[in-house]
Amino acid sequence: MSAESREPAPLILIVDDEPQVRRFLRTGLAPHGYRVVEASTGNEALRLATQYVPDVVLLDLGLPDVDGLAVTRALREWTRMPIIVLSARGTERNKVEALDAGADDYLTKPFGFAELLARLRVALRHTARVERANVDGPLECGRLSIDLEARRVRFDDKDVHLTPIEFKLLAVLARHAGKVVTQTQLLREVWGPDSTDQAHYLRVYMTHLRRKLEPSDGSARLFRTDAGVGYRLEYPDADS
């Protein structure tokens, strides 16, 4: 696969108010191919989560403004992105509360970095399984092939490079292929709950997808717009 067609490395959102902890995680994750964004407060974490839509969140519970449990609940209102709690709160009750709030995993500080890396790999594999739950293998839509697990898109047997946001948008449409997905649902799943009134985001990125995946001669119409409602990824034999 060419360099241009490779998908970016997984993006990790680190949420911790201690700079030394963020530095420890950042310097440890980078050699293993992970990209990182950092937040020191709960409110900043929620903002960055909607802005970057990370692949995994590493979340401390003891934040200065909003408790980590509240951050977890707020994220679970709109996303299934894996949340791994990293906290000094190590009692069984703390762990149950975090998992009941929606966390996927829990590591008590201090922890071994090898164990953290293993938990990240598990979280990412789980996400891949969830993403392909509605599609067994690559989704074939005429000349378009979408492999949700491998994060690979091909058109006419050629790799097509999509940005992370473009791929997330295409993946949502692919999981609901043949059905209209409303603007609100797309905005919520791709950009987060604070973006549901930002329909211009959707128009811009749908234009990008069409330019990359629909030939200029009109020979392969893949996306249908239902004005005022949403968008649909067409099957080749779907009604126009």
Side-chain angles (χ1 to χ4, degrees), residues 9 23-36 113 117:
R23 182 171 59 252
F24 166 72
L25 293 171
R26 179 177 66 250
T27 56
L29 290 171
H32 295 276
Y34 293 104
R35 297 176 297 137
V36 167
F113 210 86
L117 292 172

Side-chain angles (χ1 to χ4, degrees), residues 108-231:
T108 302
K109 297 177 181 177
F111 51 84
F113 210 86
E115 183 177 8
L116 174 60
L117 292 172
R119 301 292 181 95
L120 280 172
R121 291 192 294 269
V122 169
L124 291 168
R125 285 199 299 270
H126 175 71
T127 298
R129 287 196 297 271
V130 170
E131 285 190 339
R132 70 174 185 269
N134 294 331
V135 180
D136 186 14
L139 173 67
E140 304 292 341
C141 291
R143 296 151 66 184
L144 175 67
S145 174
I146 308 165
D147 191 328
L148 296 179
E149 180 181 9
R151 300 176 67 86
R152 188 181 190 187
V153 178
R154 293 174 65 81
F155 189 84
D156 282 346
D157 294 323
K158 296 179 180 178
D159 288 316
V160 179
H161 172 70
L162 299 181
T163 67
I165 291 294
E166 290 167 354
F167 185 86
K168 288 177 187 290
L169 177 56
L170 181 62
V172 174
L173 291 168
R175 287 195 294 269
H176 301 280
K179 298 180 180 180
V180 176
V181 186
T182 66
Q183 294 181 17
T184 298
Q185 182 178 351
L186 287 168
L187 287 165
R188 184 181 298 275
E189 292 196 32
V190 179
W191 285 276
D194 294 335
S195 302
T196 54
D197 61 347
Q198 304 294 325
H200 62 281
Y201 289 167
L202 197 50
R203 289 193 295 270
V204 168
Y205 278 90
M206 285 303 302
T207 298
H208 292 173
L209 285 180
R210 286 186 164 116
R211 287 175 179 169
K212 291 183 177 183
L213 296 172
E214 291 185 340
S216 58
D217 61 7
S219 59
R221 186 186 182 200
L222 299 173
F223 304 101
R224 177 170 177 171
T225 302
D226 284 65
V229 179
Y231 298 89

Side-chain angles (χ1 to χ4, degrees), residues 26-123:
R26 179 177 66 250
T27 56
L29 290 171
H32 295 276
Y34 293 104
R35 297 176 297 137
V36 167
V37 290
E38 302 176 26
S40 60
T41 68
N43 285 318
E44 184 182 17
L46 294 174
R47 179 179 63 80
L48 292 178
T50 59
Q51 180 179 350
Y52 289 97
V53 195
D55 295 286
V56 181
V57 178
L58 299 181
L59 175 66
D60 182 35
L61 296 181
L63 301 172
D65 58 343
V66 180
D67 187 79
L69 293 177
V71 173
T72 300
R73 295 188 186 100
L75 289 173
R76 283 291 171 258
E77 291 179 359
W78 65 274
T79 181
R80 294 305 307 168
M81 66 178 65
I83 300 171
I84 301 177
V85 169
L86 308 178
S87 178
R89 304 177 190 175
T91 68
E92 182 178 277
R93 181 176 63 85
N94 293 143
K95 294 179 181 180
V96 170
E97 286 178 346
L99 295 172
D100 281 345
D104 296 90
D105 208 343
Y106 195 112
L107 278 175
T108 302
K109 297 177 181 177
F111 51 84
F113 210 86
E115 183 177 8
L116 174 60
L117 292 172
R119 301 292 181 95
L120 280 172
R121 291 192 294 269
V122 169

